[in-house]
Amino acid sequence: MLDDMHQASRIKQVDCQLGYSNLTFELWILLHKIDYRTPLTTKAQYLEQLNRAFHKNFETLKKYKQEKNFQNILQNITLDDVKKAIARAERIRKYNEENFHKEVYKRKYIYFKDNPDCSLQEAVKAVLTECGLI
């Protein structure tokens, strides 16, 4: 995928930005409501924390990801929650950097194989900054 993004930006001169969340996108959603730094081995392990953070009772990640259910989750995220998620993700990244976790370099992107890790905050923060919201 990164190679495709790089190629597209060269051909069409489009600036592509990558948002990355190591192990899954569920970490990014969870960071809107709570600090969470526990390494997990499967994405299903996020379900209990998501249910707790959003006061839900989804039996499976598949049910959580159903459009109407996920839309309900999104409706419970405020701009203040987004700002908190950015700060929480930045703290995770800083911790990984300070504790010599293994960085992986791919094209112009850097990420950590160790989870949790997230870079979605970089793209979201850039948009909010450009809009004057932070």
Side-chain angles (χ1 to χ4, degrees):
M1 179 173 81
L2 291 176
D3 290 334
D4 293 340
M5 286 174 52
H6 178 72
Q7 185 68 12
S9 66
R10 291 180 70 221
I11 294 171
K12 298 183 180 182
Q13 298 174 351
V14 173
D15 184 27
C16 298
Q17 298 296 321
L18 175 69
Y20 169 81
S21 62
N22 177 356
L23 185 65
T24 66
F25 185 71
E26 282 70 31
L27 171 62
W28 172 244
I29 297 300
L30 190 57
L31 291 177
H32 287 78
K33 296 295 183 182
I34 65 171
D35 273 307
Y36 196 78
R37 298 183 191 187
T38 305
L40 302 175
T41 55
T42 68
K43 61 184 173 182
Q45 293 173 306
Y46 280 109
L47 183 61
E48 181 181 343
Q49 295 301 321
L50 287 164
N51 279 333
R52 186 175 299 137
F54 287 93
H55 309 289
K56 301 294 179 187
N57 193 27
F58 300 117
E59 299 92 21
T60 64
L61 275 182
K62 186 175 183 178
K63 289 203 178 205
Y64 152 80
K65 291 181 179 184
Q66 288 177 349
E67 184 177 358
K68 68 178 179 131
N69 293 334
F70 191 68
Q71 288 295 327
N72 183 270
I73 293 290
L74 294 178
Q75 289 174 358
N76 288 292
I77 294 175
T78 66
L79 179 58
D80 189 52
D81 292 332
V82 175
K83 292 175 184 179
K84 288 177 183 175
I86 291 168
R88 289 172 175 140
E90 286 176 341
R91 284 193 298 273
I92 289 171
R93 179 55 63 99
K94 184 176 181 182
Y95 174 85
N96 286 341
E97 290 169 349
E98 290 175 349
N99 289 281
F100 306 105
H101 287 209
K102 185 177 180 177
E103 292 178 324
V104 177
Y105 297 87
K106 181 72 175 177
R107 297 283 178 196
K108 63 180 181 177
Y109 301 102
I110 299 170
Y111 66 94
F112 291 88
K113 279 193 165 187
D114 298 318
N115 81 65
D117 186 42
C118 193
S119 71
L120 286 165
Q121 74 279 4
E122 295 167 5
V124 174
K125 186 176 184 177
V127 169
L128 294 182
T129 300
E130 190 171 318
C131 294
L133 295 173
I134 57 173

